[in-house]
Amino acid sequence: MAEPRTPAEVVARAARATDLADLDAEVSNCFACPRLVAWREEVARTKRAAFRDQEYWGRPVPGFGAPDARIAILGLAPAAHGGNRTGRIFTGDRSGDVLFAALYRAGLANQPTSVAADDGLTLRDTRIFAAVRCAPPDNKPTPTERDTCAPWLHREVALLRPTLRVVVALGAFAWAAWWPVLRDVYGQRPPTPRPAFGHGAHWSGTSVPALLGCYHVSQQNTFTGRLTPAMLDDVFARAKRLAGVDD
């Protein structure tokens, strides 16, 4: 499979993906952002001491979950020693521990942990993906990297469009990444001014998924109590109601 190495090649390869499996394969083979490629591969070589005996994924991380999802969870980017290590988004780090425990409590995951790509985890009515598919240095993608990666996100949403009803944006970066999707996937002009991000923020348009804001499940938020399990439970309960997902 040829490797997308320019923004134009990303656009073309994303547009040609016929289903989520095809898209996931294309995403995993992307080399379009030199800084991100260098960083993800450097992390995979040097590793963290706790994982020194493991082989790191070291590639872009595709989405994960139900192909007929009614709820989407949109994050920022994979973690250097989480998704970049395991090959599955929010898997193998503290953020994932919090997120998947909440999804399990909500009845949207079959188990409360996500530790490896082959651990048996499945999601119900839910798919998780990131605005940027490679782990960035300092968890901060550049605007150019965000825009280069956007066609993968837009195509994933387009493939989910028949069933997708709600998007939960984890953090302000994900919240901002959603507005171009309205234009490119749904053909609708984003609202002006843009609704402000906040935990519990809710925006609904016409014939497009509802958007819910949620503080990111980062350690900075969960260790300090800025985001609690009860707050996550409330967000996913609202997402289920809006999406028409039964308990």
Side-chain angles (χ1 to χ4, degrees), residues 18 40 44 47 54-55 86 94 159 168 193:
T18 57
R40 78 194 191 201
K47 307 181 181 182
Q54 298 184 21
E55 181 177 353
T86 64
R94 294 292 181 85
L159 291 168
V168 177

Side-chain angles (χ1 to χ4, degrees), residues 129-145:
F129 41 75
V132 174
R133 304 303 169 104
C134 289
D138 299 320
N139 208 32
K140 294 180 180 179
T142 67
T144 297
E145 291 162 350

Side-chain angles (χ1 to χ4, degrees), residues 206-221:
T206 303
S207 302
V208 298
L211 180 65
L212 294 178
C214 178
Y215 290 147
H216 196 280
V217 287
S218 65
Q219 292 186 54
Q220 181 180 359
N221 287 335

Side-chain angles (χ1 to χ4, degrees), residues 73-159:
I73 301 171
L74 176 58
L76 191 165
H81 301 281
N84 189 58
R85 171 173 61 89
T86 64
R88 191 168 72 195
I89 192 71
F90 281 112
T91 295
D93 60 22
R94 294 292 181 85
S95 295
D97 292 345
V98 173
L99 177 62
F100 287 104
L103 292 174
Y104 178 74
R105 293 193 301 271
L108 298 173
N110 70 325
Q111 61 190 43
T113 57
S114 181
V115 296
D118 59 354
D119 62 6
L121 175 69
T122 61
L123 299 182
R124 169 181 169 244
D125 292 308
T126 304
R127 188 167 174 87
I128 304 176
F129 41 75
V132 174
R133 304 303 169 104
C134 289
D138 299 320
N139 208 32
K140 294 180 180 179
T142 67
T144 297
E145 291 162 350
R146 174 201 62 203
D147 294 345
T148 299
C149 208
W152 300 128
L153 169 62
H154 296 185
R155 185 58 181 157
E156 189 151 8
V157 173
L159 291 168

